[in-house]
Amino acid sequence: MSKLLGKISCPKREFLLASTSTLGAVGAAAAAWPFIDSINPAADVLAVSSTEVDLSSIAVGEGLGVLWRGKPVFIKHRTAEEIKQAQDEDSVEMIDPQTDADRVQKTEWLVVIGICTHLGCLPSGHLPGDKKGEFGGWFCPCHGSQYDTSGRIRSGPAPLNLEIPPYAFKDDTTLIIGDAEA
Amino acid sequence: MKKDNNTSRLMTWIDDRLPIFSYANKNVIDYPTPKNLNYWWNFGSIAGIILVIMIITGIFLAMNYQPHTDVAFQSVERIMRDVNYGWLLRYLHMNGASMFFIVIYIHMFRGMYFGSYKNPREILWIMGVAIYVTMMATAFMGYVLPWGQMSFWGATVITNLFTTIPLVGDYLVTWIWGGFTIDSPTINRFFVWHYLMPAIIVGIVIVHLWALHVTKSNNPLGIDIKSKKDTIPFHPYYTIKDLFGFGVFLIIFLYFVFFQPNFFAEADNYIPANPMVTPPHIVPEWYFLPFYAILRAIPDKLGGVIAMGGGVMILFILPWLDTSKVRSARYRPIFKVMFWVFVADVLFLGWLGIRPSEGIYLTWGRIATFYYFFHFLVLLPALGKYEKCYPVPDDISEEFLKDHCGDTDDTDGKEEKTNA
Ligand code: HEM
Ligand code: FES
């Protein structure tokens, strides 16, 4: 190809070639976008953006796992001790420091996305009898990450605390996970 | 632009081991092409680009389509409403199919007019017909996938054609269906074929182009390339011309996609398939209509199917039916007229394909069907024998100068002067 370009000596042709190719490349990129975007989540997938949960059935000390946008969300009705432990440890050295107050709206309800921030396994701990790990929260069976009663990463390979989904309390016993307005 | 030394060394290194650069140079850059090709020679490259567009839009549609009778229709509607730009992908694919056939029909008629199927291009032509047949099968199976009323009943009618085969017909159809009617197993396997066959088409296209590059392109004069003077390098002359033609084509194609997306579609296909209700007018896609008209013209089940299949298959032996040594219609006064009569006959058959098959339409359908075969089986062999042709020029470049310059100056020198 360079052989041909070599024949072009006049600046007008060079300009035409460069501008046509540039415009062509921009056009091709613009045409590629609909294809790329078409495999993003579709409108019907995005529409299932909120999940409603009845809290009255979760006793103190128990937890519940629900799916929100296909992801597991852990809702934990924390005991007084668990709350106290979480708050007391606010100042301890941590992998991803954060206070308990920053992670909850009502101290007795901890709502976190149940996906280990290491490589995506499901940590155990929200059901009675589950292995909770040394810090009383969650233990990830895949590579041994341990989370405390506030869902903060305390030891193991995971880099971040369990993520908090957007949520709101509709009333005392109803929790809406996701888009609060929906 | 100067070639960077390292790049050129890398290119040589690769080329010595896998000669892609010299291959590209030989086949798309320096490739000698008749200097007198007109715009009818644009359609092969346009067909190639549509094939790519069809494959890419198809792959992305398949990411959201589901081949099951319970959900196929909804999955297509979901593509139209919920999937980002799904409407665009689907309309490109839908209208692309129609455009593909328009382009291919022009490409084929071009071959007929200029005698491109004749010695030494018979295999090139046969590969073309093989592509055409595969395209028809692909389009037919694709039309079944949205699972609308036309999908279902069109598929029912076409697959039932196989029941005409004596003895094994009924078993064959059950085998094709994977059941006792068109149902989920059918749509599932049709989806697999519909996804697979374009890859087969790509394979045949490669052979098609391979054959083309052995014989080189024919040209409007229908005479052989004699010397280097008859040709120009493919690049930049025909790359630019092909790109320009493709641009014009895109304007037309996208006009339909954005402003008349359902122009070629049937309203009934937006009604979900219902095995209990046959729509009042069953029509195939427009590109099958001439053959559909032939099917209906014959008052016998097996005969109709044979005539319809024969109408397509006869194209395979066209190189041996046309016995004239002169290729281009330019030098064949009678053939030239007969060619256009044949085109009109095919269009007329297409028009008849959507008329009710009764009364006068039936009579016309029989006449047009008769003429279709008469053209191939009687006219072409006879013309080869009795037609008096005009004298054929013996040199592309001589003739080219007469047409374009009026004198016999060396054009290369002339061009340089005007450009400088
Ligand atoms: C996917 C479909 C097809 C593609 C991509 C394709 C591609 C091409 C290309 C790029 C050329 C050279 C440029 C030109 O002459 O227009 C060509 C030539 C040719 N094609 Fe096709 N083709 C296809 C289908 C067909 C069909 C269906 C037929 C006939 C039944 C056919 C018959 C021919 C012939 C005879 C030539 C040589 C023409 C000449 O040199 O005058 N092709 N094809
Ligand atoms: S995925 Fe949880 S520790 Fe690796």
Side-chain angles (χ1 to χ4, degrees):
Chain A
M1 264 141 267
S2 36
K3 186 168 156 200
L4 275 143
L5 302 181
K7 283 187 193 161
I8 297 168
S9 55
C10 116
K12 184 176 156 196
R13 278 195 187 181
E14 257 168 46
F15 170 76
L16 281 174
L17 181 67
S19 50
T20 313
S21 327
T22 312
L23 209 64
V26 171
W33 174 246
F35 291 84
I36 296 164
D37 195 30
S38 76
I39 48 177
N40 268 325
D44 62 330
V45 176
L46 293 175
V48 228
S49 59
S50 67
T51 302
E52 226 176 76
V53 187
D54 177 16
L55 297 176
S56 58
S57 60
I58 310 172
V60 178
E62 282 183 7
L64 181 72
V66 297
L67 282 180
W68 166 67
R69 285 187 168 181
K71 291 186 201 183
V73 170
F74 295 156
I75 301 161
K76 178 89 192 210
H77 199 166
R78 298 193 292 185
T79 62
E81 284 143 60
E82 286 171 332
I83 298 170
K84 185 163 179 306
Q85 188 194 339
Q87 290 169 345
D88 285 354
E89 290 178 357
D90 276 353
S91 47
V92 178
E93 200 181 310
M94 282 187 225
I95 298 169
D96 180 17
Q98 207 180 10
T99 63
D100 187 57
D102 281 347
R103 297 181 50 81
V104 291
Q105 290 180 19
K106 294 185 180 180
T107 50
E108 62 272 37
W109 295 106
L110 175 70
V111 183
V112 292
I113 293 180
I115 295 177
C116 179
T117 60
H118 181 222
L119 293 171
C121 291
L122 192 85
S124 75
H126 69 289
L127 295 177
D130 272 3
K131 187 170 178 185
K132 289 178 163 41
E134 279 172 50
F135 300 87
W138 283 270
F139 172 79
C140 183
C142 290
H143 317 94
S145 287
Q146 312 211 31
Y147 299 87
D148 66 13
T149 56
S150 191
R152 292 172 296 203
I153 177 67
R154 300 297 292 275
S155 82
L160 297 172
N161 300 334
L162 291 179
E163 202 188 322
I164 315 276
Y167 68 89
F169 291 92
K170 195 167 156 197
D171 51 50
D172 276 353
T173 55
T174 320
L175 177 75
I176 296 175
I177 306 167
D179 228 349
E181 306 98 73
Chain B
M1 262 169 256
K2 247 191 295 148
K3 225 187 304 177
D4 167 56
N5 220 17
N6 285 331
T7 325
S8 105
R9 264 173 45 207
L10 178 64
M11 281 168 72
T12 318
W13 187 89
I14 296 174
D15 213 60
D16 289 343
R17 287 152 183 84
L18 181 74
I20 41 175
F21 296 110
S22 41
Y23 188 84
N25 188 57
K26 182 164 169 276
N27 285 291
V28 282
I29 301 199
D30 284 346
Y31 180 69
T33 316
K35 55 160 76 164
N36 60 337
L37 297 188
N38 56 31
Y39 276 108
W40 298 116
W41 267 259
N42 273 60
F43 287 84
S45 75
I46 295 175
I49 304 175
I50 314 179
L51 180 60
V52 173
I53 294 177
M54 293 304 282
I55 290 175
I56 295 175
T57 51
I59 289 173
F60 280 84
L61 283 172
M63 291 188 192
N64 282 296
Y65 171 77
Q66 299 193 305
H68 189 287
T69 49
D70 291 347
V71 287
F73 188 87
Q74 283 93 325
S75 78
V76 173
E77 284 311 304
R78 181 175 167 271
I79 289 172
M80 293 299 290
R81 292 150 196 251
D82 288 342
V83 172
N84 306 316
Y85 294 102
W87 57 273
L88 181 58
L89 299 181
R90 176 154 181 264
Y91 282 155
L92 281 170
H93 200 72
M94 246 170 81
N95 289 282
S98 280
M99 292 297 142
F100 204 173
F101 277 97
I102 293 176
V103 166
I104 283 302
Y105 282 135
I106 296 176
H107 189 66
M108 291 165 74
F109 279 128
R110 181 284 316 263
M112 292 184 183
Y113 186 88
F114 295 106
S116 296
Y117 47 80
K118 290 183 193 179
N119 179 13
R121 295 185 183 80
E122 298 92 329
I123 292 185
L124 172 58
W125 171 263
I126 288 171
M127 287 303 140
V129 182
I131 293 171
Y132 174 56
V133 173
T134 320
M135 271 176 68
M136 290 203 286
T138 310
F140 161 68
M141 301 215 191
Y143 197 56
V144 180
L145 302 181
W147 204 239
Q149 275 289 65
M150 280 298 166
S151 302
F152 183 86
W153 292 103
T156 301
V157 170
I158 301 294
T159 47
N160 266 311
L161 293 176
F162 291 99
T163 57
T164 52
I165 299 172
L167 299 177
V168 293
D170 286 334
Y171 299 104
L172 189 61
V173 172
T174 311
W175 181 71
I176 290 171
W177 287 341
F180 302 101
T181 174
I182 306 242
D183 209 337
S184 272
T186 328
I187 192 174
N188 206 153
R189 63 188 62 182
F190 276 19
F191 181 45
V192 171
W193 282 114
H194 185 70
Y195 203 119
L196 179 65
M197 283 200 294
I200 297 173
I201 296 180
V202 169
I204 316 177
V205 167
I206 290 171
V207 180
H208 187 69
L209 295 181
W210 184 9
L212 175 75
H213 283 222
V214 172
T215 63
K216 305 281 183 292
S217 282
N218 183 27
N219 64 82
L221 303 180
I223 56 178
D224 293 333
I225 298 170
K226 296 249 166 58
S227 71
K228 238 187 146 223
K229 274 181 85 181
D230 294 345
T231 68
I232 44 178
F234 191 79
H235 184 78
Y237 297 103
Y238 286 112
T239 41
I240 290 294
K241 188 170 176 174
D242 279 350
L243 267 179
F244 174 73
F246 180 63
V248 174
F249 164 77
L250 264 190
I251 292 173
I252 299 167
F253 176 28
L254 294 183
Y255 168 78
F256 282 103
V257 169
F258 289 115
F259 298 101
Q260 297 288 336
N262 284 302
F263 181 81
F264 297 103
E266 278 298 322
D268 270 351
N269 220 27
Y270 285 98
I271 301 170
N274 182 353
M276 302 296 284
V277 181
T278 302
H281 296 289
I282 288 279
V283 281
E285 291 280 81
W286 67 265
Y287 34 81
F288 296 134
L289 287 175
F291 299 110
Y292 195 58
I294 295 179
L295 170 74
R296 302 196 309 176
I298 311 287
D300 173 75
K301 192 171 169 182
L302 181 59
V305 174
I306 290 175
M308 182 175 75
V312 179
M313 294 306 154
I314 205 164
L315 293 170
F316 278 111
I317 54 165
L318 174 59
W320 294 276
L321 294 174
D322 181 351
T323 51
S324 173
K325 290 278 172 290
V326 179
R327 292 196 192 104
S328 175
R330 259 190 211 185
Y331 305 104
R332 301 184 59 191
I334 304 175
F335 171 78
K336 190 176 185 168
V337 175
M338 288 304 141
F339 170 82
W340 289 112
V341 174
F342 175 72
V343 173
D345 186 59
V346 173
L347 293 177
F348 183 54
L349 277 170
W351 180 81
L352 285 170
I354 41 172
R355 306 296 130 186
S357 63
E358 57 197 25
I360 188 73
Y361 296 123
L362 204 55
T363 318
W364 285 344
R366 289 186 184 151
I367 296 172
T369 299
F370 172 80
Y371 188 81
Y372 182 92
F373 289 101
F374 176 78
H375 175 85
F376 284 111
L377 295 174
V378 180
L379 258 179
L380 289 184
L383 285 181
K385 252 190 159 155
Y386 303 111
E387 185 178 30
K388 278 258 164 297
C389 296
Y390 299 138
V392 173
D394 36 37
D395 205 310
I396 294 175
S397 53
E398 289 278 309
E399 195 66 14
F400 189 81
L401 289 182
K402 266 194 252 157
D403 284 355
H404 292 262
C405 308
D407 57 58
T408 43
D409 258 7
D410 175 23
T411 27
D412 286 346
K414 212 170 175 183
E415 261 179 12
E416 287 304 321
K417 258 179 257 154
T418 37
N419 281 342

